[in-house]
Amino acid sequence: MIRGIAATVGSTFLWACGSSSSELLPPFSVRDSSGVEIVTSHGSQWAEGEAWRLSVEPLVGMAGIGDPVYEFHMVHDALKLGDGRLAVAAGGAREIRLYDAEGAYLTTLGRRGEGPGEFTALTRVWPLPGDSIMSYDRRLRRVSIFAPGGEFVRSFGFTVLEGGSPIPTPVGPMDGGRFLVLQRAIIGAYPSKGSVADSAFVLAFDMEGNLRDTLAFAPERETYVNDQHGRLWTSPAPFGPVSSWAVSGDGFFFGSGRFPEIESFDARGTLRRIIRWTHQAPQITQDHIDLYKESLLGAGGSPQILAWVGAVAEDMMFPRTMPDHGPLQVDTEGNLWVERFFPPGAPVRTWHVFDPSGALLGPVEMPAALKVYEIGTDYVLGQWIDEMNVQTFRLYGLIKDVRGE
């Protein structure tokens, strides 16, 4: 059982409220608490001129007009293989597309269907040793593995627990043959109005799809519910915290979004380290609320639908502050990247980078239109969504030796 998820909530709140003068503190401090290392960062380790940044222009940009292999729809993931090839999970086309290091199309893995090596709802891809590729089909609840040359190797599915969603969410493979999976708990009944705290089972499977451990029952996200004259609205709670997970080597990271801290566990769910940082969650302004409501109405629909959405939007309840963080990423060197919560209309996304010891290195800014899928030693790969909502892919250089330029 993961003890840190439940046990550190109260102490985190007291710590956050007690920080008042970080100028007088060292960049970070380390202490032990019952065998768990607690690393608290009070500021950045990067001196002026040392901060990492993205290249001004992308090194690779995959986009094309009229050529289906360069058109993307419902893409959820991408990765860079060790030999430089780029793999994109083209969910809309139900296939994995491979491109060379310059972004030129090479070949396609899989196709639409339910047979071996085929997809109905492709959502994730992960690299395996030797440039093999592991993928996940959400609808079939099936993992498929492809050889470096693109040949289909094998597949396996997941069994699910009673009392949970029939569609599990994989986080990814860990060292030692374990695979981390989340299964959202089913809520028996929703209230007529308000926010509901969702939770998930944290499960460890082997690479054959056999359940090995139930690691925890953890917070997952908040759902907003509103019954408007018999028509039930459910959606992620506005500006609500969403738990984030990332695998790393022989373990994984967890952040609830509710506090400025990330917990680090081994593959069996034992809490190893708590990573904390000084942070005051931004206040939610009326401009933020207006932009949020506009985004709901921007999806369009019939006059009846728009009237219903408008009524729900006007009746929504909003928190006073934003969550403390968003998604997590672990780069190929073991650094943990934590995205600050990204409010509507913000021009950039800011990520905090923590070294493998848990100490904060500093912030890295990225364009708001870039959704990050993978971070390497010297690159950032992600999906670019322009003002027309057209999806393309970009590979940016990650510049670290800024003073040496």
Side-chain angles (χ1 to χ4, degrees):
M1 182 69 178
I2 297 179
R3 67 172 186 172
I5 287 175
T8 62
V9 170
S11 60
T12 301
F13 179 77
L14 292 174
W15 165 82
C17 293
S19 284
S20 58
S21 182
S22 59
E23 311 82 40
L24 304 179
L25 299 174
F28 67 94
S29 58
V30 182
R31 66 182 179 88
D32 180 84
S33 176
S34 301
V36 176
E37 185 178 70
I38 300 177
V39 182
T40 303
S41 292
H42 310 285
S44 172
Q45 292 189 71
W46 285 332
E48 184 176 354
E50 292 182 337
W52 300 349
R53 62 180 175 84
L54 266 61
S55 57
V56 176
E57 298 294 333
L59 306 179
V60 177
M62 289 183 286
I65 300 176
D67 190 339
V69 299
Y70 294 102
E71 294 178 350
F72 303 100
H73 174 60
M74 292 177 62
V75 174
H76 301 285
D77 206 0
L79 60 87
K80 183 179 181 183
L81 297 169
D83 59 9
R85 289 179 298 164
L86 304 172
V88 176
R94 278 79 165 179
E95 61 190 21
I96 301 172
R97 297 178 191 161
L98 294 183
Y99 302 83
D100 68 15
E102 304 301 320
Y105 172 74
L106 295 172
T107 189
T108 293
L109 313 183
R111 61 182 181 181
R112 185 190 302 263
E114 298 184 8
E118 297 176 340
F119 304 107
T120 63
L122 175 63
T123 56
R124 294 295 306 272
V125 287
W126 300 273
L128 293 178
D131 282 347
S132 292
I133 297 174
M134 172 181 285
S135 62
Y136 182 67
D137 188 307
R138 182 175 182 270
R139 188 170 299 150
L140 297 177
R141 297 184 303 182
R142 186 173 70 187
V143 170
S144 296
I145 299 174
F146 296 85
E151 304 84 6
F152 170 72
V153 177
R154 65 185 181 91
S155 63
F156 61 88
F158 298 117
T159 56
V160 293
L161 301 179
E162 293 185 7
S165 167
I167 303 177
T169 301
V171 180
M174 298 177 286
D175 293 348
R178 287 199 155 205
F179 198 98
L180 191 68
V181 175
L182 308 179
Q183 184 186 2
R184 182 177 298 170
I186 296 176
I187 295 177
Y190 284 110
S192 60
K193 179 181 175 181
S195 292
V196 178
D198 293 323
S199 298
F201 300 101
V202 185
L203 310 174
F205 291 81
D206 64 23
M207 299 300 281
E208 301 293 333
N210 301 306
L211 178 62
R212 294 303 183 189
D213 281 309
T214 301
L215 303 178
F217 187 65
E220 205 266 341
R221 71 173 190 184
E222 290 184 4
T223 296
Y224 177 73
V225 182
N226 192 322
D227 189 342
Q228 285 280 339
H229 307 294
R231 173 176 275 182
L232 186 65
W233 169 283
T234 61
S235 68
F239 303 103
V242 178
S243 296
S244 299
W245 306 77
V247 296
S248 176
D250 64 346
F252 60 93
F253 293 98
F254 166 80
S256 70
R258 294 161 173 81
F259 309 103
E261 75 170 28
I262 305 296
E263 296 172 321
S264 173
F265 302 88
D266 66 19
R268 298 188 178 278
T270 300
L271 181 63
R272 299 186 295 195
R273 177 182 293 133
I274 299 174
I275 300 168
R276 294 174 175 166
W277 63 95
T278 302
H279 172 57
Q280 186 70 38
Q283 295 287 319
I284 294 175
T285 67
Q286 188 60 48
D287 286 343
H288 293 135
I289 293 174
D290 292 343
L291 283 170
Y292 184 90
K293 292 179 179 179
E294 288 175 14
S295 70
L296 293 180
L297 293 168
S302 67
Q304 294 82 4
I305 292 294
L306 289 176
W308 175 54
V309 174
V312 171
E314 287 304 313
D315 202 30
M316 274 186 171
M317 298 175 289
F318 292 85
R320 290 178 299 175
T321 60
M322 296 180 185
D324 281 281
H325 68 83
L328 310 179
Q329 288 277 347
V330 179
D331 66 23
T332 55
E333 294 186 329
N335 299 305
L336 172 66
W337 294 61
V338 180
E339 187 184 56
R340 293 281 298 274
F341 183 78
F342 180 63
V348 297
R349 298 174 186 255
T350 301
W351 292 76
H352 283 169
V353 186
F354 297 83
D355 67 21
S357 74
L360 175 65
L361 293 175
V364 175
E365 291 189 345
M366 300 189 192
L370 184 67
K371 182 178 181 180
V372 176
Y373 287 140
E374 186 177 68
I375 303 174
T377 301
D378 57 0
Y379 69 87
V380 174
L381 174 64
Q383 181 188 92
W384 184 271
I385 303 177
D386 66 17
E387 63 277 1
M388 301 298 293
N389 206 33
V390 175
Q391 300 179 14
T392 59
F393 277 82
R394 293 186 178 183
L395 181 77
Y396 282 90
L398 180 58
I399 302 168
K400 296 181 178 180
D401 188 16
V402 177
R403 291 181 298 181
E405 291 189 332

